[in-house]
Amino acid sequence: MGRPIDARGWIFEVEDTTPATPLWLRLNNINSWSYNPSEGEETADTTTNDSEGYHEQDVMQRGASLEVTGLYAVTNNVRDAGQEYVDSVWTYRFGSESRGRMRYRHKSQTEWAVWECTVTPGEQGGEHNAKTTWGASFTRCGAPTTEAVTGGTP
């Protein structure tokens, strides 16, 4: 029997395509996330008289979404690069330009799950004795891919 893994061990990154050589930016200060592997799923009812009263269906479309929430991050008056890219660049793209890439993995894994996806910015806010919140929702477009973990990413 395997051991459960810590939810805090997941790493989320977005691909910044604005430089000549695209680079991956980590989304820091995440304190909650959720993955929905059936977001956007569509089915076709295939029930007939031959089904003898039992429901039947075929999956016609699969989708997925991933939502991250955390705290708005600034260090030495410099905004967190990943959050800044989502909020100031990716969020303002439309049509085919609205698609980008994100990837995620647990720190114990040797491969990233990579999505071409769209992003929806999350709500930001807080009360007088709280820190400002930040978040984003990613909706996968097409099939996911994988890539090996390389370099200095923990």
Side-chain angles (χ1 to χ4, degrees):
M1 179 165 70
R3 296 281 306 146
I5 60 174
D6 296 336
R8 72 175 56 142
W10 288 86
I11 303 164
F12 306 93
E13 296 183 345
V14 293
E15 185 180 37
D16 182 351
T17 57
T18 57
T21 303
L23 61 121
W24 290 100
L25 304 173
R26 188 168 179 166
L27 295 174
N28 293 300
N29 288 4
I30 301 302
N31 59 23
S32 178
W33 61 273
S34 63
Y35 167 64
N36 181 346
S38 62
E39 180 76 25
E41 183 177 277
E42 295 288 337
T43 61
D45 187 338
T46 58
T47 308
T48 67
N49 291 344
D50 298 328
S51 301
E52 298 181 5
Y54 289 97
H55 172 76
E56 295 185 32
Q57 71 178 26
D58 290 340
V59 175
M60 303 303 291
Q61 171 180 298
R62 297 250 187 230
S65 67
L66 193 142
E67 181 176 351
V68 296
T69 57
L71 301 174
Y72 190 98
V74 176
T75 303
N76 296 325
N77 294 322
V78 176
R79 181 78 196 284
D80 176 80
Q83 291 182 8
E84 177 72 15
Y85 179 77
V86 168
D87 288 347
S88 299
V89 180
W90 195 352
T91 295
Y92 292 100
R93 293 181 172 170
F94 300 96
S96 61
E97 296 297 315
S98 67
R99 290 189 183 194
R101 293 196 320 156
M102 66 89 61
R103 66 184 184 181
Y104 64 94
R105 69 177 179 89
H106 190 266
K107 64 183 179 182
S108 65
Q109 297 173 330
T110 59
E111 282 190 328
W112 293 98
V114 182
W115 289 7
E116 180 179 9
C117 55
T118 59
V119 69
T120 301
E123 293 183 13
Q124 296 175 8
E127 296 181 9
H128 67 280
N129 285 332
K131 298 293 185 179
T132 303
T133 59
W134 182 88
S137 297
F138 301 91
T139 303
R140 193 179 72 210
C141 301
T145 60
T146 62
E147 60 185 44
V149 174
T150 59
T153 303

